[in-house]
Amino acid sequence: MRLNSSIYKSLFLVGPMGVGKTTVGKLLARELSLKFIDSDQEIEIRAGADISWIFDVEGEPGFRERETKVIDTLTQLPDVLVSTGGGCILSENNRAVLKSRGVVVFLDTSLDIQEVRTKKDQKRPLLRGVDRRAVLTEMKAFRDPLYHEVADIKVFVGESSSKRVVASIIDKLKVQNFIEDKE
Ligand code: S3P
């Protein structure tokens, strides 16, 4: 399988924390012969520090600044699948580059699933020491319209396996002519 467009061949995954962007992204990248890159991981590599440290020292604005730079760089690479951090769509600039430089896939899920999947989470500063359900609910209300605004396709991730999610993404990409079967 290959992406149909010869210019914008990259694919960007957006969606909330705990939806499984990294797991699904790795599988999907393999299926589509794209190079998988996780934007949070790239931020950590460039900073030489983890996300929690960046939030502690520079606050969320410092993290967002780094995120915007990394998104700008990664979205210009050819043939990549970039899995983005849940809040990257907050920036108008990020939304614009994602939308104009590739195919954007919104992985959505329920608050119940997010709550379960982020339960033992120590890595996400925005969920540390807070009422997680309340924070996730508030984020969903604010961010969902932004995910929709930027997305070419949306796939709901329920209890089904990552393999099924990948198959469903590929089906939708085909229906919308973003990919075609190999001859
Ligand atoms: C964030 C999501 C995280 C990470 C950071 C902020 C957010 O990424 O970028 O902790 O604002 O939703 P994941 O969506 O991969 O957890």
Side-chain angles (χ1 to χ4, degrees), residues 17 21 40 51 63-64 85-87 124-126 143:
M17 292 188 265
K21 285 167 294 195
D40 280 341
I51 304 283
F63 171 76
R64 297 293 173 207
R124 295 179 171 106
L126 295 176
R143 294 176 175 187

PDB file of all heavy atoms in Angstrom, residues 17 21 40 51 63-64 85-87 124-126 143, ligand 1:
ATOM      1  N   MET A  17      -4.894  12.310  25.053  1.00  0.00           N
ATOM      2  CA  MET A  17      -4.001  11.446  25.839  1.00  0.00           C
ATOM      3  C   MET A  17      -4.693  10.105  26.102  1.00  0.00           C
ATOM      4  O   MET A  17      -5.882  10.068  26.408  1.00  0.00           O
ATOM      5  CB  MET A  17      -3.694  12.098  27.199  1.00  0.00           C
ATOM      6  CG  MET A  17      -2.869  13.341  27.098  1.00  0.00           C
ATOM      7  SD  MET A  17      -2.353  13.946  28.730  1.00  0.00           S
ATOM      8  CE  MET A  17      -3.632  15.152  29.069  1.00  0.00           C
ATOM      9  N   LYS A  21      -2.116   6.675  20.396  1.00  0.00           N
ATOM     10  CA  LYS A  21      -1.503   7.186  19.158  1.00  0.00           C
ATOM     11  C   LYS A  21      -0.164   6.513  18.848  1.00  0.00           C
ATOM     12  O   LYS A  21       0.135   6.214  17.694  1.00  0.00           O
ATOM     13  CB  LYS A  21      -1.282   8.717  19.259  1.00  0.00           C
ATOM     14  CG  LYS A  21      -2.547   9.535  19.112  1.00  0.00           C
ATOM     15  CD  LYS A  21      -2.296  10.976  19.540  1.00  0.00           C
ATOM     16  CE  LYS A  21      -2.001  10.989  21.015  1.00  0.00           C
ATOM     17  NZ  LYS A  21      -2.052  12.213  21.720  1.00  0.00           N
ATOM     18  N   ASP A  40       6.520  13.883  20.886  1.00  0.00           N
ATOM     19  CA  ASP A  40       6.954  14.078  22.278  1.00  0.00           C
ATOM     20  C   ASP A  40       8.370  13.537  22.500  1.00  0.00           C
ATOM     21  O   ASP A  40       9.182  14.137  23.192  1.00  0.00           O
ATOM     22  CB  ASP A  40       5.996  13.364  23.246  1.00  0.00           C
ATOM     23  CG  ASP A  40       4.733  14.176  23.497  1.00  0.00           C
ATOM     24  OD1 ASP A  40       4.750  15.393  23.244  1.00  0.00           O
ATOM     25  OD2 ASP A  40       3.741  13.587  23.941  1.00  0.00           O
ATOM     26  N   ILE A  51       9.553  15.185  29.275  1.00  0.00           N
ATOM     27  CA  ILE A  51       8.441  16.146  29.219  1.00  0.00           C
ATOM     28  C   ILE A  51       8.144  16.727  30.615  1.00  0.00           C
ATOM     29  O   ILE A  51       7.919  17.927  30.756  1.00  0.00           O
ATOM     30  CB  ILE A  51       7.159  15.450  28.668  1.00  0.00           C
ATOM     31  CG1 ILE A  51       7.411  14.813  27.304  1.00  0.00           C
ATOM     32  CG2 ILE A  51       5.973  16.413  28.649  1.00  0.00           C
ATOM     33  CD1 ILE A  51       7.456  15.727  26.126  1.00  0.00           C
ATOM     34  N   PHE A  63       6.968  24.302  27.084  1.00  0.00           N
ATOM     35  CA  PHE A  63       6.751  23.042  26.373  1.00  0.00           C
ATOM     36  C   PHE A  63       6.081  23.295  25.033  1.00  0.00           C
ATOM     37  O   PHE A  63       6.484  22.741  23.994  1.00  0.00           O
ATOM     38  CB  PHE A  63       5.893  22.087  27.218  1.00  0.00           C
ATOM     39  CG  PHE A  63       5.467  20.861  26.458  1.00  0.00           C
ATOM     40  CD1 PHE A  63       6.353  19.823  26.220  1.00  0.00           C
ATOM     41  CD2 PHE A  63       4.171  20.769  25.938  1.00  0.00           C
ATOM     42  CE1 PHE A  63       5.970  18.702  25.484  1.00  0.00           C
ATOM     43  CE2 PHE A  63       3.775  19.654  25.204  1.00  0.00           C
ATOM     44  CZ  PHE A  63       4.676  18.615  24.980  1.00  0.00           C
ATOM     45  N   ARG A  64       5.054  24.157  25.015  1.00  0.00           N
ATOM     46  CA  ARG A  64       4.311  24.405  23.763  1.00  0.00           C
ATOM     47  C   ARG A  64       5.212  25.039  22.697  1.00  0.00           C
ATOM     48  O   ARG A  64       5.071  24.775  21.506  1.00  0.00           O
ATOM     49  CB  ARG A  64       3.088  25.285  24.018  1.00  0.00           C
ATOM     50  CG  ARG A  64       2.038  24.674  24.935  1.00  0.00           C
ATOM     51  CD  ARG A  64       1.362  23.467  24.318  1.00  0.00           C
ATOM     52  NE  ARG A  64       0.469  22.801  25.292  1.00  0.00           N
ATOM     53  CZ  ARG A  64       0.160  21.525  25.251  1.00  0.00           C
ATOM     54  NH1 ARG A  64       0.652  20.733  24.318  1.00  0.00           N
ATOM     55  NH2 ARG A  64      -0.652  21.008  26.152  1.00  0.00           N
ATOM     56  N   GLY A  85       1.482  14.993  20.284  1.00  0.00           N
ATOM     57  CA  GLY A  85       0.977  15.096  21.653  1.00  0.00           C
ATOM     58  C   GLY A  85      -0.463  15.619  21.632  1.00  0.00           C
ATOM     59  O   GLY A  85      -0.847  16.369  20.726  1.00  0.00           O
ATOM     60  N   GLY A  86      -1.231  15.219  22.633  1.00  0.00           N
ATOM     61  CA  GLY A  86      -2.659  15.529  22.650  1.00  0.00           C
ATOM     62  C   GLY A  86      -3.004  17.012  22.544  1.00  0.00           C
ATOM     63  O   GLY A  86      -4.077  17.379  22.057  1.00  0.00           O
ATOM     64  N   GLY A  87      -2.083  17.866  22.997  1.00  0.00           N
ATOM     65  CA  GLY A  87      -2.403  19.294  23.018  1.00  0.00           C
ATOM     66  C   GLY A  87      -1.840  20.076  21.842  1.00  0.00           C
ATOM     67  O   GLY A  87      -1.957  21.308  21.790  1.00  0.00           O
ATOM     68  N   ARG A 124       2.609  12.159  32.357  1.00  0.00           N
ATOM     69  CA  ARG A 124       1.867  13.289  31.789  1.00  0.00           C
ATOM     70  C   ARG A 124       1.618  14.357  32.847  1.00  0.00           C
ATOM     71  O   ARG A 124       0.731  14.225  33.683  1.00  0.00           O
ATOM     72  CB  ARG A 124       0.566  12.789  31.175  1.00  0.00           C
ATOM     73  CG  ARG A 124       0.785  11.873  29.970  1.00  0.00           C
ATOM     74  CD  ARG A 124      -0.538  11.391  29.428  1.00  0.00           C
ATOM     75  NE  ARG A 124      -0.400  10.686  28.160  1.00  0.00           N
ATOM     76  CZ  ARG A 124      -0.507   9.365  28.045  1.00  0.00           C
ATOM     77  NH1 ARG A 124      -0.702   8.592  29.102  1.00  0.00           N
ATOM     78  NH2 ARG A 124      -0.409   8.805  26.849  1.00  0.00           N
ATOM     79  N   PRO A 125       2.373  15.448  32.775  1.00  0.00           N
ATOM     80  CA  PRO A 125       2.312  16.475  33.811  1.00  0.00           C
ATOM     81  C   PRO A 125       0.918  17.066  34.004  1.00  0.00           C
ATOM     82  O   PRO A 125       0.544  17.401  35.131  1.00  0.00           O
ATOM     83  CB  PRO A 125       3.251  17.571  33.294  1.00  0.00           C
ATOM     84  CG  PRO A 125       4.035  16.972  32.198  1.00  0.00           C
ATOM     85  CD  PRO A 125       3.314  15.776  31.705  1.00  0.00           C
ATOM     86  N   LEU A 126       0.131  17.150  32.934  1.00  0.00           N
ATOM     87  CA  LEU A 126      -1.187  17.784  33.056  1.00  0.00           C
ATOM     88  C   LEU A 126      -2.183  16.915  33.822  1.00  0.00           C
ATOM     89  O   LEU A 126      -3.252  17.381  34.218  1.00  0.00           O
ATOM     90  CB  LEU A 126      -1.746  18.124  31.661  1.00  0.00           C
ATOM     91  CG  LEU A 126      -0.943  19.172  30.886  1.00  0.00           C
ATOM     92  CD1 LEU A 126      -1.511  19.360  29.485  1.00  0.00           C
ATOM     93  CD2 LEU A 126      -0.932  20.515  31.628  1.00  0.00           C
ATOM     94  N   ARG A 143     -11.047  20.782  23.317  1.00  0.00           N
ATOM     95  CA  ARG A 143     -10.177  20.356  22.210  1.00  0.00           C
ATOM     96  C   ARG A 143     -10.892  19.635  21.066  1.00  0.00           C
ATOM     97  O   ARG A 143     -10.410  19.675  19.931  1.00  0.00           O
ATOM     98  CB  ARG A 143      -9.066  19.443  22.753  1.00  0.00           C
ATOM     99  CG  ARG A 143      -8.116  20.168  23.681  1.00  0.00           C
ATOM    100  CD  ARG A 143      -7.108  19.197  24.262  1.00  0.00           C
ATOM    101  NE  ARG A 143      -6.098  19.862  25.067  1.00  0.00           N
ATOM    102  CZ  ARG A 143      -5.041  19.255  25.571  1.00  0.00           C
ATOM    103  NH1 ARG A 143      -4.848  17.963  25.352  1.00  0.00           N
ATOM    104  NH2 ARG A 143      -4.159  19.928  26.301  1.00  0.00           N
TER     105      ARG A 143
HETATM  106  C1  S3P B   1      -0.315  16.619  26.364  1.00  0.00           C
HETATM  107  C2  S3P B   1      -0.231  15.328  25.888  1.00  0.00           C
HETATM  108  C3  S3P B   1       1.004  14.548  25.967  1.00  0.00           C
HETATM  109  C4  S3P B   1       2.231  15.457  26.009  1.00  0.00           C
HETATM  110  C5  S3P B   1       2.092  16.466  27.094  1.00  0.00           C
HETATM  111  C6  S3P B   1       0.859  17.332  26.933  1.00  0.00           C
HETATM  112  C7  S3P B   1      -1.614  17.324  26.245  1.00  0.00           C
HETATM  113  O1  S3P B   1       1.107  13.675  24.853  1.00  0.00           O
HETATM  114  O2  S3P B   1       2.408  16.096  24.781  1.00  0.00           O
HETATM  115  O3  S3P B   1       2.063  15.785  28.320  1.00  0.00           O
HETATM  116  O4  S3P B   1      -1.645  18.551  26.381  1.00  0.00           O
HETATM  117  O5  S3P B   1      -2.639  16.634  25.994  1.00  0.00           O
HETATM  118  P1  S3P B   1       0.188  12.362  24.653  1.00  0.00           P
HETATM  119  O6  S3P B   1      -1.082  12.781  24.002  1.00  0.00           O
HETATM  120  O7  S3P B   1       1.004  11.480  23.761  1.00  0.00           O
HETATM  121  O8  S3P B   1      -0.022  11.768  25.988  1.00  0.00           O
END
